[in-house]
Amino acid sequence: MTRLGTPDNAATASAADSPWALRDYALIADGERGALMDPRGGIAWLCAPAWHDGAVFNGLLGGPGRFRVRPADRWNVWGGYYEDGTLIRVSRWVTADGIVSCREALAAPADTARVVLLRQIRAVRGAALVDVDLDVRAGYGRQPMVQVRQDGGTWRARSGALWVRLTGAEDARPGPDGGLHARVRLSEGGTHHLVLELATEPNNAPLDPHSLWNATERWWKQAVPDCSDTAAPRDTRMAYAVLNGLTSAAGGMVAAATTSLPERADTGRDYDYRYAWVRDQCYAGIAVATHGPHPLLERAVRFVADRILEDGTALRPAYTVDGTPLPPERDLPYVGYPGGSDRTGNRAGRQFQLDVFGEALQLFAAAARHGALDTRAAEAASRAAEAVADRWMQPDAGLWELEDRWWTHSRLCCVVGLGDLSRELRTPASADWSRLADRILDATRSRCVHPDGYWQRADDDTGPEAALLLPLARGAVPPTDPSFSLTRTQVVRRLTEDGYVYRFRHGDEPLGDAEGAFLLCGFTMALAAHAQGLPTEAARWFERTRSACGPTGLFSEEYDVAQRQLRGNLPQGFVHAQLLECSARFGKATDAVSSAGW
């Protein structure tokens, strides 16, 4: 039995909530956009209709807009979980008198012109009394709901250019803040559905929750492979689900769902990651190819190939998910997440980063190994190789998007990519690619190998660099090359602490003071140990890094080891990609050992 009414605390429902630690947020996503959810049952962040569009719920940065479903009894303990292999989230609260849950998802398959948010409330034990609050504020909070009216059992409104529909809240009442407020009463075992639609055009199609849930469940089941042959099947399915949720039907995968979350408090290193970095896309595609020719590989190849064919040697490091240039940076009028700012746009879109071409070549070679490189992608591979030939001697901004220098990592990535492509794509140019790889390797070795025998960061920087372990693990030099072992030894000795790996040193500052451990580098260390035939050590680095997530299982870019907190934008796609690659590679190694009877 369900009855809706106006809650007693409607006047205070619009009060701004302080943010949670990043580890406590969950993500639901459909590929075209994602919603960050807090443990109170609030949507803290959602941009619509696309990733890079203005947010309609801005609480993560201290702005207005909310869609909150939470027990009326504020004396509760929160929890929750993802349904295995999906980004369908079940939030759960234990109250003084019972247990309440809310199953939540963005409906899929996604429509680029509209977002549909599904919420199913359930009284798990005892009767439930649940408050519902909706206040859509499009354009980063600048455009409140207007023309709010009830049409039968559906609430309709406008917020900027978006048309709003809400079903399941027939007895809601508009509040003094312009939002809608309701109270849902459920007897034990009862369920209640809420469906919110935000669309670029008015829509009268039925918002039937049962058909929407059924389609969403089918979509996730088809999208995420079983992964039972990997080293950590459930976490690997989770990683794959995150990558799938971050990847648009157009092929572009956003680096993360959020903007302006600080890597370190008040350092100015807080950026907008709601765009598709070509490098990150390659990491994801290569990781998927390690496991099999799954659909995310095809989407990565298509997106990267299109960008190279359109821009050639002027390839940008990042684009919107539909392939357009990034907007310039600008500030929003909010306080921002504590320790961070509130900026949108990203200047990295104008940099030259040589390593991106090398990663693209590796992606195309990985696709070719699965017979998944079509004529258009093969042409893009040739164009990328030509770009490397033209520009490999030029200084570039590198992986970490710093000042232009002769970064070692960028050259070694190109060595790997050219070598892989020459072996996998047999064309008249293959021999030229192989010779170019040798020439780049020789030049880089003469300029960037330290007198002590390890690969240093740049020709003018003798420090260690954890990112170098990835091209070394992927074959820039043979595993037995002394420079490989010496480089990994330097990284272990100078860039690790308590089992976690940092990128590089910031002057004389102790590790952990300038920034957190870099989770991408932790998984890279595991790959490097594995490539050198050290499975126990590889497993140790893998498991330690795999522990650096919050209760939701999501990884950010960095991890504050001392405080055990996530840092940076969330969830960081390339970290989940590296987890997937490690798990796939280590699982195959385990199978090989088992079949040999060891």
Side-chain angles (χ1 to χ4, degrees), residues 542-564:
F542 174 66
E543 293 298 342
R544 189 58 162 162
T545 307
R546 191 161 67 102
S547 72
C549 62
T552 62
L554 300 178
F555 293 88
S556 63
E557 189 172 35
E558 299 180 18
Y559 185 67
D560 186 321
V561 177
Q563 300 186 68
R564 299 184 184 272

Side-chain angles (χ1 to χ4, degrees), residues 44 55-59 62-66 135-138 140-143 334:
V56 298
F57 304 131
N58 300 270
R66 68 186 175 279
D135 184 14
V136 179
R137 298 287 183 114
Y140 298 110
R142 297 185 182 93
Q143 298 159 330
Y334 301 127

Side-chain angles (χ1 to χ4, degrees), residues 117-137:
L117 205 159
L118 308 175
R119 308 188 86 163
Q120 182 187 39
I121 307 166
R122 181 174 176 229
V124 179
R125 190 181 73 198
L129 195 61
V130 178
D131 288 336
V132 178
D133 301 291
L134 174 67
D135 184 14
V136 179
R137 298 287 183 114

Side-chain angles (χ1 to χ4, degrees), residues 505-518:
R505 284 196 171 272
H506 294 261
D508 296 328
E509 291 184 79
L511 291 176
D513 280 10
E515 64 180 16
F518 218 77

